[in-house]
Amino acid sequence: MKLIIWCILMCLSIWAFPQTIIKVFDRETREPIDLVSITCEKPDVFAVTNANGEADVSAFYGCDHYVLRALGYKTRVIDYDMMRELSGKVFLERNPFNLDEVVISGTRSDQLSSEVPLRIKSISKTQVAEMNPQTAADLLAVSGSVYIQKSQQGGGSPMIRGFATNRLLYVVDGIRMNTAIFRSGNIQNVISLDPFAIEKTEVLFGPGSVVYGSDAIGGVMSFQTMNPQFSISDKPFVKGSAIMRYSTANNEKTYHFDVNAGWKKLALLTSFSSNNYGDLIMGSNGPDEYLRPFFVMRMDSTDVLVNNANPKVQNPSGYTQLNFMQKLRYSPSDKWDIQYGFHYSETSSYSRYDRHIRYKNGLPRYGEWYYGPQKWMMNNLSVTSYASTCFYQKMTLRIAQQSFEESRISRDFNKNDRETRIENVEAYSANLDFVKFISEKNKLIYGAEFVTNDVRSTGINEDISTGVVVDGPSRYPQATWQSFGFFLNDIHELSDKVKLIGSVRYSSFGIDAVFDTTFYPFPFTNAEMSNSAITGSFGFIVRPNEKWIVSMNGATAFRSPNVDDMGKVFDSEPGSVVVPNPNLEAEYAYNADFGVTKVFGDFMEVEVSAFYTYLQNALVRRDYTMNGLDSIFYDGTLSQVQAIQNAAFANVYGFQADLEIELMPGLDFGTNLNWQKGEEELDDGSTSPSRHAAPFFGRAKLSYRTGKLKMMFYVHYSAEVSYEDMPVEEVDKDYMYAINDEGNPYSPSWYTLNFKARYQLNKNLSVAAGLENITDIRYRPYSSGIVAPGRNLIFSLRADF
């Protein structure tokens, strides 16, 4: 009788108490899956699995259906009774054809990709582990849809849909990384991010100004760093990894370590990486113009040319880097999530390679040209509240402080005068975002943002023969840039098959700058600028069935003038100097997007998107006068005066296409195609091909997995940019390009064959290896100053604990 009563009580307890722990595994490998999103509509709750594939779903009490989503897996919907029968143990099937991925880049809040009428490309932590990118710039290239330009090895300037630099936005954990000195020339700030510390990367293609404000014209790159994970039991949850990597093309030696310690309400995460990159070695088969026959060395107070023992070695190009991240997470209840993050990155000094291959009168123009250490620090506090109030179901407050330091050091060949220009930016921001379900068919996402940047710029001139150091002209004025905005996004479900998405944003921005007239006779000492912008978007998503998505979107975007636009003094090219211009307005973009995604059965997915963007009032460099003079002396050279002005229009159009096919279980084929064409207005009213419209490029890959082994063979390629199609700005940079039969510069087409493999030795140890550029092609990606790596053998070892 006692046994019968005990069994009845056990059954009643199982029936009465809902499942509180869910464990998710890969059906094929039986390995746990982390970062699985588990959601429920009623109640409106969600959870994410940890590194052990476990999630606490105690807040799901009363849930009728659990929805499990993970990148690269089939979405699974499990009702309450089935979840009890499974005892919370769930297996997911691999499937790259998921049209309902959880993304955040569309609105800075969790939502389904099928609610965003723009193309979004995600890069998972698993893909990063398989591809082993050296920097965050290389990580973006993993998408197959972002073109990367590099002026030096310590760099990486993405090009997206014909736009680049300060017309693209970088976001880290919901915080904008762009500063008031982001320039129109190529930038390298993205390398401050550590690929090992990034949990997921999303690239939103097209305007994002409604949510993110200024700069988000061509796209938004959203980097989500690792989050501390709680324990779901009474025991502490401790998880970590250690990674070692070596590459032959630049003698790379990289080490990484991260550890998570979590309790039920408190969790800590520490991440550290060290990178050492030697001089980069180019390939053997390609244009001889790319070779480096000699380099400059200082000997006995004289710059001398030294023969390069191996002309394929790009001397100087090596550098080192350190990255550190510390996060603290506290959740007093399932209604609150509080996180603090500290990020720090610092490089060594590194040479700007493209300046070292410039020549003047048959000799190198520079004896020295390098960037000082690039430093980035961010303190970020985020507070998220979940509640059913009249204002929101979800509210997130983000407060951040960032410090940036960059510097440029240059000296002409066999000259004693060394110019050092140091820039420091202190950036402060606050974002308040709300999500409110007005009804089952209507969701509002709205919020406000405040950003301020304090720019401090210093100039130092040094005579290296005497050691005498004096003040020199600074690159920028001492300035403050501020922006405030608020936005509203409405997602309305007209029917089960049609959704309308509309949004609007108001932004105000301003600059207050103080100019030093000690070195240059500016006609002003103070300059103020203030203006505003209204942007919006309207789109729809039609989903005839679960296998089809058709979307269309029209949007405007803007970029407000920053301190780099208004107040910079620098030599843009030999014989030209750019001077300040306080009379600037925002540039506007008008964009149209059309996309179609179709899944055929369970074996193929095709995604095609087309776009057109018109840029009005574009901020461009044009000839100018200062105090009535069209030329002034700058660093001892009589130079044409130029300034940034609202003086042009530009347009760009193109298409992107992705294809994924499961040829057989374990064998997949995929390809990415990107074609864009742009033009911009010149001084005389004629047009030139756009500098930042990359040539046709793409990637094709064949991957195979079986048990613990994953292998991938892939091709990267880029089309030629002929001399006739070269942008006017690039034609004079013949030192960076190959020379055709007529003696004119052009960018040759190229392709690389590559192989990667990864093997799980046991539960805690895995090894990865790869051979990039197998045929040792010598190529320089379009607009790049440094030649890409030649044949490169990569080996890495990972230990998980």
Side-chain angles (χ1 to χ4, degrees), residues 395-698:
M395 181 274 293
T396 301
L397 172 67
R398 298 180 182 89
I399 302 173
Q401 176 271 331
Q402 298 180 78
S403 297
F404 300 82
E405 180 178 315
E406 59 185 54
S407 55
R408 297 161 177 78
I409 299 92
S410 63
R411 182 179 57 80
D412 287 351
F413 186 73
N414 267 327
K415 301 292 185 181
N416 292 325
D417 297 326
R418 176 187 289 151
E419 295 89 30
T420 300
R421 306 292 180 259
I422 305 170
E423 279 69 60
N424 295 95
V425 179
E426 293 293 322
Y428 305 90
S429 63
N431 300 84
L432 188 59
D433 297 324
F434 299 92
V435 178
K436 173 64 179 177
F437 288 88
I438 304 299
S439 67
E440 291 186 359
K441 296 183 178 296
N442 199 3
K443 179 168 72 171
L444 290 181
I445 302 173
Y446 63 100
E449 176 187 62
F450 175 76
V451 181
T452 183
N453 284 193
D454 290 326
V455 178
R456 296 294 176 262
S457 186
T458 305
I460 300 172
N461 289 347
E462 176 187 1
D463 186 326
I464 63 172
S465 64
T466 63
V468 174
V469 177
V470 298
D471 291 339
S474 62
R475 181 178 173 91
Y476 297 111
Q478 314 310 308
T480 298
W481 179 90
Q482 290 185 337
S483 174
F484 170 77
F486 55 87
F487 74 94
L488 173 67
N489 179 280
D490 185 17
I491 303 172
H492 185 70
E493 187 176 328
L494 289 180
S495 68
D496 293 339
K497 300 181 185 299
V498 180
K499 291 179 182 177
L500 297 181
I501 299 95
S503 57
V504 64
R505 179 189 179 102
Y506 171 81
S507 298
S508 65
F509 49 88
I511 299 176
D512 187 2
V514 177
F515 291 86
D516 183 357
T517 58
T518 303
F519 301 95
Y520 301 113
F522 299 133
F524 43 78
T525 56
N526 292 81
E528 294 183 3
M529 183 193 71
S530 63
N531 215 321
S532 61
I534 296 177
T535 52
S537 67
F538 181 79
F540 65 84
I541 297 171
V542 179
R543 194 162 186 175
N545 55 51
E546 292 301 311
K547 303 288 187 178
W548 270 98
I549 291 182
V550 179
S551 64
M552 181 173 287
N553 191 68
T556 59
F558 78 101
R559 186 175 78 82
S560 63
N562 62 21
V563 176
D564 183 87
D565 297 313
M566 187 190 80
K568 177 172 58 178
V569 178
F570 82 114
D571 58 330
S572 60
E573 57 194 14
S576 297
V577 59
V578 174
V579 300
N581 177 15
N583 302 309
L584 297 176
E585 299 177 357
E587 55 185 15
Y588 272 86
Y590 302 86
N591 180 83
D593 262 273
F594 177 77
V596 178
T597 304
K598 168 67 174 173
V599 174
F600 297 86
D602 289 327
F603 67 93
M604 183 170 69
E605 178 182 337
V606 178
E607 180 181 3
V608 179
S609 60
F611 63 92
Y612 175 83
T613 304
Y614 178 79
L615 186 66
Q616 178 183 319
N617 228 15
L619 291 164
V620 294
R621 193 170 63 235
R622 292 287 186 264
D623 289 346
Y624 196 63
T625 60
M626 189 169 71
N627 292 332
L629 301 175
D630 62 4
S631 298
I632 62 172
F633 279 93
Y634 179 79
D635 285 342
T637 301
L638 184 64
S639 301
Q640 169 70 49
V641 175
Q642 296 182 326
I644 301 297
Q645 302 173 56
N646 295 106
F649 68 83
N651 61 71
V652 60
Y653 53 91
F655 73 87
Q656 296 174 292
D658 291 351
L659 171 67
E660 295 282 346
I661 304 175
E662 186 177 42
L663 300 174
M664 56 181 289
L667 184 64
D668 301 321
F669 172 80
T671 187
N672 314 101
L673 307 174
N674 305 271
W675 179 83
Q676 47 275 310
K677 184 175 179 60
E679 61 179 12
E680 55 191 38
E681 185 183 17
L682 300 177
D683 267 340
D684 59 4
S686 62
T687 59
S688 165
S690 175
R691 174 189 175 192
H692 290 138
F696 174 75
F697 71 98

Side-chain angles (χ1 to χ4, degrees), residues 97-123:
F97 317 131
N98 190 345
L99 302 185
D100 288 312
E101 178 193 348
V102 177
V103 296
I104 70 167
S105 56
T107 57
R108 209 161 39 210
S109 182
D110 295 337
Q111 64 181 141
L112 298 181
S113 56
S114 57
E115 294 180 338
V116 183
L118 291 173
R119 171 184 166 90
I120 295 178
K121 191 79 171 179
S122 297
I123 305 169

Side-chain angles (χ1 to χ4, degrees), residues 216-231:
I217 291 178
V220 177
M221 293 157 284
S222 175
F223 301 91
Q224 303 155 39
T225 61
M226 293 188 295
N227 282 321
Q229 298 177 347
F230 297 115
S231 173

